[in-house]
Amino acid sequence: MSNRIDVELLQARVQALAASKRLEEALDLVAGQLEHHGEDPRFWVVYGMVLLANDRQEAAEAAGRRALELEHDSLGALDLLIMCAHHAGQREKALALARVMVMAAPNLAKGHFWVGLLLVGNSTNRTELDEAAAAMGRALEIDPEDPDHFRVAALIADLGGNTPKALEYLRAGLNTAPNDHGLLLASGVIDGADAVVGDRGTLLRGMLAVNPLDDTVQADFAQLFLERLRPLGRLPWVHGMLGALVVERGSGLPGILAAVLLLGLLAGAGWLRYRRAAKPLPAGYVEEIFNRFPSARTGLRLLAAAGATGLAGTVLGILAPDQRPGLLLVGGGAVLGFIGGTLLDKASCAPPEAGAPRTALIAHWHRRIGALLEAHWARFRMGCLGILALVLTLPGMGPAAGMIVLIGAGWLLAVGAQLAILVLRLGPGENPWVKGRTLRSSAKRSGLAGIGGRMQSVFYIGYHLFLPLMFLSLGASMFAGGIGPGDGTGTPATKDGKQPQIDSPYLRPTPIPAPSITFEVPSFAPVEIPDFSKEAGSD
């Protein structure tokens, strides 16, 4: 039989054990006090919290109901039941219980906090978002010292597109609690938060130094590192287009030196980005990240292989009489880079573990779509670079120009294909374009907003699918036969603008003897023609 511990002291011990992740020990401690506090509703609330922390949801809900049986107006028991419903994904049930708490204690901030949190987590229109903002504003009026209130209020404002208001809430919350864990982590999803908290890498390193075992900070640090490596996936496309230009314009040793210099510049840019991304990480932490996300390591290796393949293709295209085999290697390097960049993108979007619930997969797919959309203007700038490289191949629009078109169009097509697959996986209810438009419209106009969002998604994805398909056919014809100056037969010109002389026994003229034809004039018997004039005179 265990010694009796007061409920307040028991709760403090449980919190200390939970902070050190000794949840089973905390559960044993509370269970040992059951015979002493079986009739105390406060004990059942503590017991339920520990059960819920150990993922024993049904037992935790039963403990909350037992507390309500002992004290019908127990707000702690109601709070526990809201947490159980929220943990089980029962949003409507949790929201209904939160509204009951607000009616039971309108001057208690907890109920308003729950209403705002539950609404913002699954808002489907602007009306719900405004209601969540109002509830969180009321919670801040009642308790302006709780940093969680500022955190959720900032997230609501950011979701509604009011970034200045979100930064204001973030700044006010950090003035109240400068070292609050939740506020500091929430700054990572608010645009422009660096102006308030400083460089995020430095911030996370400081948080990790305070608590090296914080899994949330470790995950955020790993994701930040991989996000900063994400632009490396665009380098193979640049290398491919400029490499094709070098094949077209370069020749001999100067051309080979230009190819090596191009790879050196791109590799140097990639190495500098890698060093900047790894700079805030503690020693040895990069290796831990790659062990946690092996696909990221594979992606970087494929990017390096893409650079080597592109260099080999460029040199071969310069030295060989026919550019096509070398240009095919250049294109193969771009394909390797696409695979490596895709693996790196996937790792940077925090992929869930195997067997994770669909909600985790949906969040991961949303992050991947967001990463592709964020790179829109980077794709535009690289498209301009590709057009410039294409113009520099003039006047001959031969195989090199065709490869530039193939690489650029293939890149856009790959982006469109990824977007289409992700949107189909999400389903119509999670279409990001639809959700973005409905959150900016009222509940009455959410239907029209949803239609507009679907049309926008179809247009954006279709632009990345059908337009590249048209250019792919053009690039393939240019690569295969060229459309530049020639003799009108489709034969491409060489680098000096002259037509190649093709020597083949099948194309040599073969002398054909002219046929000998003898004409014989046939002989006819004489024919007597009567004199019709005499007969006419006698008449």
Side-chain angles (χ1 to χ4, degrees):
M1 179 177 179
S2 59
N3 296 327
R4 187 179 186 278
I5 305 175
D6 291 337
V7 175
E8 291 80 3
L9 180 59
L10 179 65
Q11 184 176 4
R13 290 186 179 181
V14 166
Q15 291 176 348
L17 291 172
S20 59
K21 299 183 180 180
R22 297 155 63 185
L23 296 176
E24 294 184 0
E25 188 176 343
L27 182 59
D28 293 338
L29 176 63
V30 178
Q33 297 295 311
L34 179 60
E35 56 184 329
H36 299 296
H37 302 286
E39 300 301 321
D40 191 338
R42 298 174 302 165
F43 167 79
W44 286 103
V45 171
V46 175
Y47 195 15
M49 294 291 185
V50 178
L51 288 170
L52 187 61
N54 282 272
D55 292 328
R56 296 176 58 179
Q57 180 187 325
E58 294 181 0
E61 186 174 354
R65 295 192 179 281
R66 175 58 179 161
L68 279 179
E69 292 176 0
L70 296 173
E71 184 180 351
H72 296 290
D73 56 350
S74 173
L75 296 178
L78 197 56
D79 185 37
L80 173 60
L81 291 176
I82 294 173
M83 293 179 65
C84 291
H86 181 53
H87 187 268
Q90 300 171 350
R91 173 185 178 261
E92 298 300 329
K93 179 180 178 180
L95 186 57
L97 291 173
R99 296 188 190 280
V100 170
M101 179 181 284
V102 169
M103 290 187 293
N107 294 323
L108 183 68
K110 191 68 174 180
H112 299 283
F113 172 80
W114 271 119
V115 171
L117 181 65
L118 293 169
L119 282 174
V120 73
N122 295 275
S123 295
T124 57
N125 53 66
R126 185 75 189 188
T127 304
E128 292 183 352
L129 201 60
D130 291 340
E131 184 181 354
M136 200 54 58
R138 177 58 180 158
L140 277 171
E141 290 178 4
I142 298 172
D143 185 4
E145 302 295 327
D146 193 333
D148 283 341
H149 298 169
F150 288 101
R151 173 178 60 84
V152 179
L155 293 176
I156 292 173
D158 182 69
L159 186 60
N162 193 350
T163 303
K165 190 68 173 178
L167 295 177
E168 181 182 340
Y169 278 128
L170 180 63
R171 187 177 290 107
L174 290 174
N175 288 336
T176 303
N179 298 318
D180 183 72
H181 184 272
L183 272 173
L184 294 174
L185 288 179
S187 65
V189 298
I190 299 175
D191 294 335
D194 289 350
V196 178
V197 300
D199 178 68
R200 183 156 181 80
T202 305
L203 171 67
L204 291 175
R205 178 165 184 160
M207 296 177 68
L208 198 62
V210 174
N211 185 6
L213 299 179
D214 193 326
D215 293 338
T216 306
V217 176
Q218 290 180 6
D220 276 20
F221 219 160
Q223 187 174 353
L224 177 66
F225 170 70
L226 295 175
E227 283 177 359
R228 291 180 173 180
L229 294 183
R230 194 182 292 160
L232 296 179
R234 296 192 284 268
L235 292 180
W237 303 98
V238 177
H239 189 198
M241 292 187 291
L242 296 183
L245 176 61
V246 172
V247 170
E248 175 68 20
R249 289 297 183 183
S251 61
L253 182 59
I256 295 175
L257 292 177
V260 174
L261 179 61
L262 173 62
L263 178 61
L265 289 175
L266 294 177
W271 176 251
L272 287 177
R273 175 167 287 277
Y274 177 86
R275 294 301 302 169
R276 284 197 298 267
K279 183 178 179 180
L281 294 175
Y285 199 67
V286 172
E287 190 65 24
E288 293 183 15
I289 293 176
F290 286 140
N291 291 336
R292 182 178 179 182
F293 300 102
S295 61
R297 189 199 305 273
T298 304
L300 288 178
R301 289 174 176 172
L302 286 176
L303 291 177
T309 304
L311 175 62
T314 306
V315 173
L316 179 60
I318 292 172
L319 298 179
D322 189 0
Q323 299 175 352
R324 291 178 181 83
L327 289 172
L328 285 175
L329 268 181
V330 172
V335 173
L336 278 178
F338 162 69
I339 298 173
T342 302
L343 291 176
L344 194 59
D345 283 350
K346 185 176 180 180
S348 69
C349 294
E353 298 179 356
R358 179 170 172 79
T359 53
L361 289 173
I362 289 175
H364 171 63
W365 294 334
H366 273 294
R367 284 191 291 268
R368 291 192 63 186
I369 292 177
L372 291 172
L373 296 181
E374 285 177 2
H376 177 82
W377 289 112
R379 288 193 294 273
F380 176 78
R381 291 190 294 270
M382 291 179 59
C384 293
L385 178 64
I387 293 174
L388 177 61
L390 187 63
V391 170
L392 292 176
T393 60
L394 296 175
M397 302 288 282
M403 181 53 65
I404 293 175
V405 175
L406 286 173
I407 290 174
W411 179 39
L412 286 179
L413 183 63
V415 172
Q418 290 182 80
L419 286 172
I421 293 172
L422 291 171
V423 169
L424 290 176
R425 284 181 175 181
L426 286 170
E430 292 292 337
N431 187 311
W433 283 273
V434 174
K435 291 180 74 67
R437 281 187 169 268
T438 54
L439 284 176
R440 293 193 297 268
S441 63
S442 62
K444 294 181 180 179
R445 298 182 179 179
S446 60
L448 291 175
I451 294 175
R454 290 183 180 88
M455 293 177 62
Q456 185 180 4
S457 65
V458 169
F459 174 79
Y460 190 86
I461 296 175
Y463 165 79
H464 283 79
L465 288 177
F466 297 107
L467 187 63
L469 284 175
M470 297 169 55
F471 282 99
L472 279 176
S473 60
L474 175 63
S477 63
M478 293 166 65
F479 180 79
I483 60 174
D487 58 356
T489 63
T491 304
T494 57
K495 293 182 180 180
D496 57 2
K498 298 179 180 179
Q499 294 298 321
Q501 301 297 324
I502 303 176
D503 186 16
S504 173
Y506 299 102
L507 300 180
R508 295 171 185 167
T510 303
I512 301 176
S516 176
I517 303 175
T518 304
F519 293 95
E520 295 182 358
V521 179
S523 59
F524 297 96
V527 179
E528 294 184 0
I529 300 175
D531 187 2
F532 294 99
S533 60
K534 293 180 180 183
E535 296 179 2
S538 62
D539 291 340

